[in-house]
Amino acid sequence: MSKQSRKFKVPDALANLYDFANTLDVRHFTHHGVPHQQDDELKTAQDLAAWMAERGLLRAGAKVTPATLETALRLRAAVRAYLQHDPAGRRQGSVTRTLNERLAAFPLLAEFGGEAGARLQPAHADALAGLSAVVAELYDGARDGSLDRLKMCAAEECRRVFFDRSKPATRRWCMSTLCGNRSKARAYRERQRAGG
């Protein structure tokens, strides 16, 4: 679990998935006169290895190669594309097709026993096994409904993934005080221009 997932109170069961989706920061806005710098935490295979190791997802002796990185980036793109849809829209074949294709690289096995009773485990012991654990979070979240609360900010200049803690689970923005206010102000200005 990262500082960000703790700060925003993302449940442990979705924390790695949340962090993984947010390794790509495409925010492009100015806040208090300071432009936000876009970034990608996974620029190299070494970056991916460090990210996985920090979360306990990299098995001893596993090698993260450029091919592993490419597979991870394809998975991240598919996860982000999936999360940009509202929960009801995520069930459409056109939305899940690419995600399902990317998930094929991360086979999982059901394992019984322990406190959980049963859980999904990576089928292989390679470097992708750590990302298979992220895929298991995706599956478990979809199964128990908590994934419906993991959303992408509706603000085009943000697109950060957030966990919706609101009671009705209807939040659209990662932070209503920032992205929500910017969107509302923009809509107001557009209405004023159209009307006058």
Side-chain angles (χ1 to χ4, degrees):
M1 184 178 246
S2 71
K3 289 179 186 175
Q4 286 295 317
S5 53
R6 275 195 295 273
K7 175 182 176 182
F8 293 109
K9 298 178 182 160
V10 177
D12 290 350
L14 292 173
N16 288 322
L17 177 61
Y18 165 88
D19 288 340
F20 182 64
N22 282 321
T23 56
L24 181 63
D25 185 350
V26 296
R27 293 177 287 178
H28 56 279
F29 54 78
T30 300
H31 183 63
H32 295 301
V34 179
H36 182 81
Q37 297 298 313
Q38 296 180 344
D39 193 20
D40 187 345
E41 291 180 51
L42 307 180
K43 293 181 192 85
T44 67
Q46 292 78 14
D47 292 340
L48 176 60
W51 184 88
M52 291 172 67
E54 184 179 309
R55 288 158 182 79
L57 299 174
L58 189 61
R59 294 186 177 195
K63 300 284 187 244
V64 177
T65 65
T68 308
L69 174 64
E70 286 305 312
T71 303
L73 296 180
R74 285 193 296 272
L75 174 64
R76 182 182 67 185
V79 166
R80 288 180 59 84
Y82 176 80
L83 293 176
Q84 78 180 355
H85 295 279
D86 66 83
R90 293 175 186 175
R91 289 155 182 80
Q92 298 173 8
S94 59
V95 173
T96 59
R97 187 173 300 112
T98 300
L99 179 61
N100 286 330
E101 288 170 5
R102 299 302 180 241
L103 294 177
F106 304 91
L108 297 164
L109 297 172
E111 182 180 276
F112 288 81
E115 290 179 25
R119 63 184 182 157
L120 293 175
Q121 289 287 91
H124 303 295
D126 59 4
L128 292 178
L131 294 176
S132 293
V134 173
V135 170
E137 286 184 13
L138 182 72
Y139 171 82
D140 290 340
R143 191 175 43 82
D144 69 16
S146 62
L147 187 62
D148 287 352
R149 289 183 174 269
L150 205 60
K151 302 175 180 180
M152 185 174 285
C153 184
E156 285 299 320
E157 66 274 6
C158 180
R159 310 308 281 168
R160 185 145 179 86
V161 172
F162 69 96
F163 186 77
D164 183 354
R165 293 188 136 319
S166 69
K167 197 168 193 169
T170 56
R171 268 181 53 197
R172 296 184 57 228
W173 302 289
C174 61
M175 296 183 75
S176 58
T177 55
L178 296 175
C179 292
N181 284 348
R182 273 195 302 272
S183 294
K184 290 173 189 174
R186 187 180 313 107
Y188 174 78
R189 287 190 302 271
E190 288 171 4
R191 283 194 306 273
Q192 294 301 311
R193 273 194 296 268

